[in-house]
């Protein structure tokens, strides 16, 4: 709840520190005293636009600080702070500070840590619920009506949300499978053509390296064979150098015995013939080894080029072609088995949908029963609030399937008709400012809502009413404050003011050209005097004081 509001240099307020407690707090004062300034200041720390006109004349900047304390931090607040990396120790108050400069610009802080205005707006629904003349949030906004009715009905949406998630997952899987099969079917002819081309070639892992090595060896042999052919005259034919060397050796053998030097020459020549013979054998062996089939070379080169061309076509490496064949076969198999898989997924999605619809229909039945009960409860509150001619209706409408969700299949909106025979319409479109606030009060009392904002503010809910109606409003505000913990009411009604657990007087005073607004927490005597003023006007009479005493004693 809101425990403290500190204001510095906001319009007519120079410096103000207000402490708030539980229960009903009332704020009174003459018209124009500055009650709206307090609401504007509070709105500033809750993310309202920072208008430079809020800064007090002659000052460079203004600031507002609001402190909130909780027995347990609301989950929405905890989650928002965690997302913003703002730490709050258990039991530590939440302190929001907003500064506005006279030359434009503003800063926001949460427990002295910089914060965005967007974060302040995110925190607002859990901190303060404001109902006033231009209320466009809270109970007026139909976006929250279904959640309010569900809390009232105790619908319990956890199971429904689980069924929705399971159905959504099943539908997503079915959609993905259908897309895959459709895409595969569209590619089927191309897949078959590609697979036939690849299968005909039958690429093998590591084949490119082997073919490249074979081609290199054959090209080298072809070159060496040509060079050996040029050397063949050395050892082949009767006029080859080797044949001549052997003839010379035979001739020398016939005369070698005639002289020792000839014998030595013959021995050297014999050695030369032996070495040359060995060389001849080596050359012949090499020639035989280098013999190759030109057709085999052509075949190796052709296959290597075909493999590389296919790899380029499919944008992969040659060694990846066997894997590509397996992938294509798997895709074709998936097309063939896809229909069976789709049948299974369709059955699962249908089953999940039926489970969701069953849970949603159960939630619908609970909402219908709760709506009838709520309509009666609100109707019982309208007459005492001088809205006896009005009618209230909780409208529950079936949503189109594309609008279904974790919340179910229903749309929900609170409608009213202010005159007999008039059509029902949304709250904000029919009710006047005062009527709207009273409708909201009646609805909140009927709902006995829990888990809403920590602080509820009603701005002039008693506008245009008095007597028994004002007394009824005061009684219901006090009852609602006891249920909710903290409720603040800006009021002109003495009957409402008398119900307050705390009473704040807002006053405006002028000194020369300077006008200031002040707020004071009244004691019992002060409350009697202020309520007497509200009863009598400018001059407070003894009868007014006596009537004020009766009002205070009667609560």
């Amino acid at each position: 709840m809101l425990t403290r509001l500190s204001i510095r240099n906001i319009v007519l307020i120079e410096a103000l520190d207000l402490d708030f407690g539980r229960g009903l707090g009332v704020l009174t004062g003459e018209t124009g005293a500055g009650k709206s300034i307090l609401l504007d200041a509070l709105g500033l720390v809750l993310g309202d636009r920072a208008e430079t006109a809020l800064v007090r004349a002659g000052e460079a900047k203004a600031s507002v600080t609001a402190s909130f304390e909780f027995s347990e931090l609301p989950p929405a607040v905890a989650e928002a702070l965690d997302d913003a990396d703002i730490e709050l120790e258990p039991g530590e108050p939440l302190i929001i500070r907003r500064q506005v400069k006279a030359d434009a610009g503003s800063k926001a802080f949460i427990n002295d840590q910089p914060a965005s205005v967007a974060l302040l707006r995110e925190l607002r629904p859990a901190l303060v619920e404001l109902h006033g003349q231009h209320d466009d949030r809270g109970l007026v906004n139909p976006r929250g009506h279904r959640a309010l009715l569900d809390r009232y009905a105790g619908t319990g949406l956890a199971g429904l949300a689980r069924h929705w998630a399971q159905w959504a997952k099943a539908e997503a899987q079915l959609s993905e499978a259908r897309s895959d099969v459709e895409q595969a079917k569209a590619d089927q002819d191309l897949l078959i053509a590609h697979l036939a081309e690849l299968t005909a070639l039958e690429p093998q892992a590591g084949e490119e390296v082997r073919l490249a090595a074979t081609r290199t060896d054959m090209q080298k042999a072809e070159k060496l064979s040509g060079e050996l052919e040029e050397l063949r005259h050395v050892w082949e034919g009767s006029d080859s150098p080797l044949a001549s060397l052997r003839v010379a050796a035979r001739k020398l053998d016939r005369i070698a015995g005639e002289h020792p030097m000839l014998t030595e020459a013959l021995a050297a020549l014999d050695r030369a013939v032996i070495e040359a013979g060995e060389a001849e054998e080596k050359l012949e062996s090499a020639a035989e080894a280098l013999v190759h089939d030109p057709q085999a070379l052509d075949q190796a080169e052709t296959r290597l080029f075909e493999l590389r061309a296919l790899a380029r076509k499919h944008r992969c490496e040659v060694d990846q072609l066997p894997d590509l064949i397996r992938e294509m076969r798997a895709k074709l198999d998936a097309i063939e088995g896809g229909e069976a898989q789709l049948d299974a997924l369709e059955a699962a999605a249908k089953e999940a949908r039926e489970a969701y619809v069953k849970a949603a229909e159960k939630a619908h039945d609970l909402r219908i029963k709760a709506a009838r009960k709520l309509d009666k409860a609100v109707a019982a509150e309208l007459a005492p609030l001088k809205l006896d001619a009005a009618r209230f209706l909780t409208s529950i409408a079936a949503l189109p399937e594309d609008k279904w969700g974790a919340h179910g299949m229903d749309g929900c909106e609170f409608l009213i008709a202010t005159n007999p025979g008039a059509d029902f319409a949304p709250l904000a479109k029919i009710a006047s400012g005062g009527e709207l606030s009273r409708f909201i009060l009646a609805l909140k009392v009927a709902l006995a809502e829990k888990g809403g904002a920590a602080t509820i503010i009603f701005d002039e809910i008693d506008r245009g009413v008095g007597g028994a109606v004002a007394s009824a409003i005061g009684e219901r505000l006090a009852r609602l404050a006891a249920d909710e913990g903290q409720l603040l009411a800006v009021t002109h009604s003495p009957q409402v003011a008398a119900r307050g657990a705390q009473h704040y007087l807002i006053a405006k005073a002028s000194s020369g050209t300077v006008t200031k607004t002040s707020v004071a927490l009244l004691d019992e005597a002060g409350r009697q005097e202020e309520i007497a003023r509200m009863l009598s006007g400018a001059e407070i009479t003894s009868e007014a004081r006596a009537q004020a005493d009766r009002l205070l004693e009667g609560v």
Side-chain angles (χ1 to χ4, degrees):
M1 69 173 187
L2 177 67
T3 56
R4 187 175 179 84
L5 185 65
S6 298
I7 303 172
R8 299 292 183 270
N9 298 321
I10 294 289
V11 193
L12 299 179
I13 299 177
E14 181 177 17
L16 179 64
D17 296 296
L18 282 177
D19 293 316
F20 298 95
R22 290 190 175 277
L24 175 62
V26 296
L27 296 91
T28 65
E30 295 182 358
T31 300
K35 294 184 288 294
S36 63
I37 299 175
L38 286 177
L39 298 181
D40 288 341
L42 185 58
L44 197 61
V45 295
L46 297 174
D48 284 354
R49 184 176 178 180
E51 300 283 356
T52 56
L54 290 173
V55 181
R56 181 176 167 82
E59 301 294 336
K61 64 180 180 180
S63 69
V64 181
T65 303
S67 298
F68 297 87
E69 294 185 11
F70 310 92
S71 56
E72 184 177 349
L73 198 63
V77 174
E79 183 177 348
L81 294 179
D82 185 60
D83 290 343
D85 291 327
I86 294 178
E87 297 182 0
L88 196 66
E89 297 295 330
E92 183 182 5
L94 176 68
I95 302 174
I96 304 176
R97 178 164 54 94
R98 186 93 179 271
Q99 292 180 346
V100 183
K101 293 183 179 180
D103 58 356
S106 72
K107 294 181 180 180
F109 303 87
I110 296 179
N111 288 47
D112 291 327
Q113 301 174 66
S116 66
V117 176
L119 176 58
L120 304 189
R121 295 193 187 108
E122 187 178 354
L123 293 174
R124 180 174 189 147
L127 298 179
V128 175
E129 183 180 327
L130 173 63
H131 302 291
Q133 298 297 304
H134 305 288
D135 188 9
D136 60 354
R137 290 180 291 268
L139 298 182
V140 175
N141 192 334
R143 291 182 180 179
H145 291 177
R146 183 173 50 222
L148 288 169
L149 181 63
D150 284 336
R151 281 204 293 268
Y152 182 75
T155 306
L157 297 178
L160 178 59
R162 185 173 62 255
H163 285 300
W164 165 256
Q166 290 170 348
W167 179 31
K169 182 179 179 181
E171 286 291 346
Q173 290 173 338
L174 176 58
S175 177
E176 183 179 0
R178 279 176 176 161
S179 178
D180 289 345
V181 170
E182 288 172 4
Q183 183 63 44
K185 284 183 176 179
D187 296 341
Q188 187 173 23
D189 291 341
L190 186 60
L191 272 173
I192 292 173
H194 284 166
L195 185 58
E197 185 179 34
L198 285 165
T199 303
L201 197 59
E202 293 186 4
Q204 304 296 321
E207 188 175 7
E208 181 186 22
V209 174
R210 293 195 299 271
L211 285 173
T214 299
R215 184 184 65 162
T216 300
D217 291 343
M218 286 184 177
Q219 288 173 337
K220 185 186 295 183
E222 188 175 43
K223 179 181 178 182
L224 291 175
S225 293
E227 293 179 351
L228 285 178
E229 192 62 35
E230 294 177 2
L231 292 174
R232 191 171 294 278
H233 72 281
V234 174
W235 68 85
E236 287 186 353
S238 57
D239 58 346
S240 67
L242 182 55
S244 299
L245 187 60
R246 287 173 177 156
V247 170
R250 286 195 297 270
K251 289 181 179 181
L252 184 58
D253 182 58
R254 290 195 294 266
I255 62 174
E258 299 298 330
H259 194 282
M261 295 296 292
L262 292 176
T263 302
E264 293 178 5
L266 177 60
L269 189 57
D270 286 339
R271 290 195 299 272
V273 169
I274 293 170
E275 292 290 336
E278 291 178 358
E280 179 184 12
E281 292 175 0
K282 299 288 185 185
L283 288 171
E284 288 177 350
S285 297
E288 291 176 0
L290 293 173
V291 171
H292 67 282
D293 183 359
Q295 186 177 359
L297 175 59
D298 289 341
Q299 290 174 347
E301 287 184 332
T302 299
R303 182 166 180 79
L304 184 60
F305 293 154
E306 288 176 346
L307 289 171
R308 288 176 173 174
L310 269 181
R312 286 194 300 271
K313 181 177 181 178
H314 294 286
R315 298 180 181 179
C316 66
E317 299 295 329
V318 172
D319 281 348
Q320 293 175 325
L321 290 176
D323 293 334
L324 186 60
I325 291 175
R326 286 190 287 272
E327 289 175 11
M328 288 182 177
R329 285 174 176 161
K331 287 182 179 179
L332 289 173
D333 290 341
I335 295 173
E336 295 174 1
E339 294 299 331
Q341 182 188 20
L342 285 180
D343 290 343
L345 290 174
E346 284 174 353
K350 181 180 179 181
E351 183 180 350
R353 183 186 188 280
E354 290 173 351
Y356 167 77
V357 170
K358 184 177 180 180
E361 288 174 345
K362 181 179 179 181
H364 172 78
D365 292 341
L366 290 172
R367 286 167 179 158
I368 292 294
K369 292 178 182 177
R372 293 169 183 165
K373 180 181 176 183
L374 179 61
D375 292 348
K376 291 180 181 178
V378 174
E381 295 291 334
L382 294 179
L385 297 174
K386 201 179 178 181
L387 295 168
D388 47 305
R391 291 170 294 145
F392 177 86
L393 175 66
T394 303
S395 172
I396 299 175
L399 294 173
E401 188 165 333
D402 62 342
K403 300 294 184 182
W404 293 0
H407 49 72
M409 306 182 297
D410 300 323
C412 177
E413 186 172 5
F414 299 142
L415 305 176
I416 60 168
T418 54
N419 298 306
D423 293 333
F424 285 97
L427 287 171
K429 291 186 177 180
I430 288 185
S432 65
E435 286 178 329
L436 180 59
S437 294
R438 280 179 278 148
F439 263 112
I440 290 171
L441 177 59
L443 184 55
K444 287 196 74 68
V445 171
L447 286 169
E449 185 191 351
K450 297 291 190 296
T455 299
I456 302 172
I457 300 176
F458 280 94
D459 182 16
E460 299 188 7
I461 189 175
D462 47 30
R463 179 185 290 269
V465 300
V469 176
S471 180
I473 290 174
E475 186 274 330
R476 281 157 177 77
L477 287 174
R479 192 198 323 165
L480 188 59
D483 292 337
E484 293 290 338
Q486 185 183 53
L487 189 149
L488 302 176
V490 177
T491 180
H492 290 287
S493 168
Q495 290 90 343
V496 173
R499 291 280 181 173
Q502 300 93 32
H503 191 151
Y504 302 88
L505 175 62
I506 304 172
K508 182 168 64 175
S510 298
S511 176
T513 60
V514 178
T515 301
K516 295 182 180 180
T517 291
S518 61
V519 183
L521 176 62
L522 301 179
D523 56 17
E524 288 302 316
R527 291 189 68 193
Q528 181 208 42
E529 195 71 6
E530 171 60 8
I531 292 173
R533 181 200 65 77
M534 296 171 73
L535 287 165
S536 63
E539 183 179 349
I540 303 175
T541 64
S542 57
E543 289 82 359
R545 290 189 177 93
Q547 188 175 352
D549 286 339
R550 287 193 292 272
L551 284 175
L552 289 169
E553 290 171 359
V555 297

